[in-house]
């Protein structure tokens, strides 16, 4: 699992890549709609690793397939997609490397990856030397550059930093400091050793040019926190602004860690989820919005994976869809709704069928197609009501009219287990083309919501009704 400020992605055990949330720069690998409040399948198979980051409407994503190929999509204003010296955003995946890639990490404006020979590569912005010292801090790398020749096992990225683990388990960092570690003289192409050995996993949090902090897990199950602590995100029971050296957070039992913008998550080997830090959007999964400076158990067991985006949290149980909680103003929780905050962990709702467009022209024929073509049974629904006879893997609607404008969903039965997809709303277009649909504040311009009401933004960003179109809707 992975995510940026306003989008999130996850990979299933079948190698499918799914995503939800903000898509204004193509970070979900789809063209057209600017955000998705349900999880959409981006790649049908073969994905083994995903990473994402970004902010300020500049999010991007990267993933590795089972053949070792590396793919990127989304914002590219600093060349972070590595696309042949381009700085143009991509709304479909771009293949950066054909093979040999074993790990990848997306930072806010850069991307780094490791090849099978242990070499470290990167592209994008270098204002904090997050790509090392082989290029100037004033330059950007719009094509991949080699940073370190060999010896790298895993790589991680923060808002303005690159962190990597070497074959000997030592932990190194380039770029934005966690307030203290980079005061030493860089030892290898701008990199500084932080920990001598035993490190198996890392997560770097914070905002782009300040408030950086880090969590890391060692091979004995101990967890350490380090850096900014202005919201208690280090989980140490206090809130000094900075911790300039690693602090022991768990002495044993750690399984996974994740750092958001101002909060921390940890999974223990009993499957329990623990959290600390800012909770303004409910990202601590504690069912309230109270901050805490102590690492606190919030879910008792069953959890195997965890990730943190800026102000949201995601966790997964074995062979199940992930659960999400926190900031949801772009639909990034994937729960079928768009809300400022969501304090109750909710399982992600996927769209388990292909929909070529949701803005349907009057009189046309529209066809849904199930992702799973060989299921035991299918049943299509309209506004939650069973459609009689709609029991095939496809559903076609002919001579589309306003009566067909509804929310459609699909129940699929596989191995005796029936799963209901998220509901997708088809909109009726009578020939008027809208640039966007919106149910949140905007800074300028006009917007239309799904019931056909047009809004114009006032000077402070509030939405004022301009006029309604008697139910004519668009996207």
């Amino acid at each position: 699992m992975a995510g940026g400020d306003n989008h999130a992605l996850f990979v299933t055990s079948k190698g499918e890549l799914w995503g939800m949330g903000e898509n204004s720069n193509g970070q979900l690998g789809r063209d057209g709609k600017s955000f998705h409040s349900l999880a959409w399948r981006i790649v049908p198979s073969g994905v083994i690793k995903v990473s994402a980051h970004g902010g300020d409407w500049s999010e991007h994503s990267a993933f590795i397939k089972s053949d070792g190929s590396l793919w990127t999509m989304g914002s590219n204003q600093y060349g972070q997609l590595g696309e042949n010296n381009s700085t143009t955003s991509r709304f479909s995946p771009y293949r950066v490397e054909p093979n040999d890639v074993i790990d990848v990490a997306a930072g806010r404006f850069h991307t780094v990856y490791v090849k099978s020979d242990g070499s470290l590569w990167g592209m994008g912005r270098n204002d904090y030397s997050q790509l090392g010292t082989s290029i100037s801090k004033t330059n950007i790398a719009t094509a991949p550059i080699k940073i370190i020749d060999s010896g790298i096992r895993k790589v991680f990225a923060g808002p303005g930093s690159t962190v990597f683990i070497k074959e000997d388990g030592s932990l190194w960092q380039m770029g934005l400091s966690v307030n203290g570690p980079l005061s030493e003289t860089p030892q290898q192409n701008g990199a500084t050793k932080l920990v001598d050995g035993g490190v198996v996993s890392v997560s770097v949090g914070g905002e782009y040019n300040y408030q950086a902090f880090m969590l890391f897990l060692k091979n004995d199950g101990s967890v350490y926190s380090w850096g900014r602590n202005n919201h208690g995100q280090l989980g140490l029971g206090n809130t000094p602004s900075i911790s300039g050296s690693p602090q022991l957070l768990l002495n044993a039992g750690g399984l996974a860690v994740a750092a958001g913008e101002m909060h921390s998550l940890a999974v223990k080997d009993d499957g329990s989820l623990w959290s600390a830090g800012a909770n303004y959007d409910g990202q601590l999964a504690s069912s309230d919005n109270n901050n805490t400076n102590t690492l606190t158990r919030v879910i008792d067991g069953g959890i195997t994976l965890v990730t943190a985006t800026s102000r949201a949290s995601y966790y997964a149980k074995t062979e199940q869809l992930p659960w999400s909680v926190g900031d949801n103003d772009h639909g990034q929780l994937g729960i079928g709704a768009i809300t400022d905050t969501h304090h109750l962990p909710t399982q992600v709702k996927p769209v388990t069928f292909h929909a070529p467009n949701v803005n349907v022209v009057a009189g046309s024929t529209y066809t849904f197609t199930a992702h799973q073509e060989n299921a035991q049974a299918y049943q299509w629904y309209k506004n939650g009501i069973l459609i009689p006879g709609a029991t095939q893997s496809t559903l076609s609607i002919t001579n589309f009219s306003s009566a067909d404008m509804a929310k459609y969903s699909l129940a699929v039965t596989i191995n005796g287990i029936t799963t209901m997809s998220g509901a997708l709303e088809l909109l009726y277009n009578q020939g008027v083309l809208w640039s966007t649909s919106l149910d949140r504040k905007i800074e300028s311009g006009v917007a239309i919501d799904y019931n056909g009401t047009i809004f114009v933004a006032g000077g402070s960003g509030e939405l004022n009704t301009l006029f309604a179109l008697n139910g004519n809707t668009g996207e």
Side-chain angles (χ1 to χ4, degrees):
M1 298 184 294
D5 273 8
N6 300 309
H7 80 294
L9 306 112
F10 61 92
V11 180
T12 70
S13 59
K14 298 178 181 179
E16 301 168 313
L17 177 62
W18 294 73
M20 53 262 190
E22 176 66 41
N23 188 48
S24 59
N25 289 297
Q27 56 265 50
L28 297 184
R30 297 175 59 87
D31 203 351
K33 196 171 182 181
S34 60
F35 57 88
H36 294 275
S37 63
L38 295 168
W40 283 81
R41 193 176 71 171
I42 302 167
V43 180
S45 63
V47 179
I48 59 173
K49 172 73 185 283
V50 65
S51 184
H53 214 294
D56 300 327
W57 306 94
S58 61
E59 302 182 44
H60 73 289
S61 308
F63 61 90
I64 302 171
K65 299 190 76 174
S66 55
D67 60 3
S69 59
L70 172 64
W71 302 74
T72 57
M73 54 198 179
S75 178
N76 194 35
Q77 77 271 41
Y78 296 105
Q80 58 264 48
L81 301 188
E83 186 193 356
N84 295 327
N85 300 312
S86 170
T87 55
T88 301
S89 296
R90 282 195 62 91
F91 286 80
S92 61
Y94 168 75
R95 193 179 72 173
V96 181
E97 296 279 3
N99 50 48
D100 287 337
V101 178
I102 60 172
D103 201 13
V104 65
R108 188 148 185 163
F109 300 117
H110 74 294
T111 306
V112 283
Y113 59 95
V114 181
K115 287 190 172 185
S116 57
D117 62 1
S119 58
L120 177 64
W121 298 71
M123 54 265 191
R125 194 170 179 175
N126 195 44
D127 52 337
Y128 290 103
S129 294
Q130 55 265 53
L131 299 182
T133 56
S134 60
I135 64 171
S136 168
K137 292 173 69 173
T138 61
N139 290 341
I140 61 175
T142 55
I145 62 170
K146 183 184 284 190
I147 302 171
I148 295 175
D149 290 334
S150 63
I152 310 303
R153 179 189 298 166
K154 294 182 180 180
V155 67
F156 309 86
S161 64
T162 296
V163 177
F164 55 89
I165 301 172
K166 286 194 162 189
E167 293 292 345
D168 62 2
S170 59
L171 177 63
W172 298 67
Q173 181 177 19
M174 299 181 297
L176 184 65
S177 158
V178 289
N179 298 284
L182 295 192
S183 61
E184 300 177 12
T185 302
Q187 296 168 305
Q188 187 176 8
N189 195 16
T192 297
K193 183 189 286 189
L194 306 182
V195 179
D196 286 335
V199 180
V200 295
S201 186
V202 181
S203 186
V204 185
E207 298 181 67
Y208 186 62
N209 56 359
Y210 66 106
Q211 294 184 348
F213 72 101
M214 179 189 300
L215 305 171
F216 65 88
L217 172 67
K218 299 193 76 174
N219 53 15
D220 60 1
S222 59
V223 174
Y224 291 80
S225 58
W226 192 355
R228 286 283 186 177
N229 193 38
N230 51 324
H231 293 275
Q233 59 263 46
L234 298 188
L236 303 173
N238 51 32
T239 53
S241 59
I242 297 172
S243 173
S245 60
Q247 302 295 309
L248 183 63
L249 186 58
L250 293 174
N251 59 12
L255 180 66
V257 293
E261 187 175 277
M262 300 175 290
H263 74 292
S264 298
L265 304 170
V267 178
K268 297 188 72 172
D269 55 12
D270 62 358
S272 58
L273 177 66
W274 300 66
S275 62
N279 196 32
Y280 305 114
D281 296 290
Q283 60 263 50
L284 298 188
S286 57
S287 301
D288 57 37
N289 61 353
N290 299 321
N291 297 356
T292 179
N293 58 21
T294 301
L295 194 65
T296 304
R297 181 195 291 253
V298 289
I299 296 175
D300 286 336
I303 297 173
T304 57
L305 295 172
V306 67
T307 195
T309 62
S310 291
R311 296 172 301 279
S313 301
Y314 302 80
Y315 61 88
K317 301 178 180 182
T318 303
E319 298 295 326
Q320 291 186 17
L321 289 167
W323 295 68
S324 57
V325 66
D327 182 24
N328 192 41
D329 59 356
H330 292 76
Q332 59 264 48
L333 298 187
I335 59 176
I338 296 175
T339 56
D340 285 340
T341 61
H342 190 75
H343 292 81
L344 179 66
T346 302
Q347 197 163 26
V348 169
K349 298 177 181 178
V351 176
T352 59
F353 49 90
H354 174 64
N357 193 355
V358 297
N359 191 8
V360 187
V361 177
S364 64
T365 297
Y366 189 93
T367 301
F368 291 119
T369 304
H371 290 165
Q372 175 58 260
E373 298 178 353
N374 300 308
Q376 293 171 319
Y378 303 90
Q379 178 61 62
W380 294 89
Y381 291 78
K382 178 180 179 181
N383 290 331
I385 300 173
L386 180 149
I387 303 174
T391 57
Q392 302 300 312
S393 62
T394 61
L395 174 67
S396 292
I397 304 168
T398 58
N399 194 25
F400 195 92
S401 68
S402 58
D404 298 307
M405 186 175 67
K407 292 183 177 181
Y408 292 84
S409 55
L410 170 65
V412 177
T413 302
I414 301 174
N415 296 327
I417 300 174
T418 300
T419 303
M420 177 68 75
S421 81
L424 179 67
E425 184 175 17
L426 287 188
L427 305 174
Y428 179 49
N429 184 351
Q430 292 183 320
V432 182
L433 179 63
W434 310 111
S435 62
T436 187
S437 57
L438 199 64
D439 65 352
R440 53 189 170 82
K441 291 184 178 181
I442 57 176
E443 295 179 359
S444 62
V446 296
I448 182 170
D449 73 4
Y450 285 135
N451 68 14
T453 302
I454 291 180
F455 297 94
V456 61
S460 61
E462 73 275 8
L463 291 176
N464 301 311
T465 302
L466 183 60
F467 58 87
L469 292 181
N470 298 320
N472 297 351
T473 62
E475 182 186 27

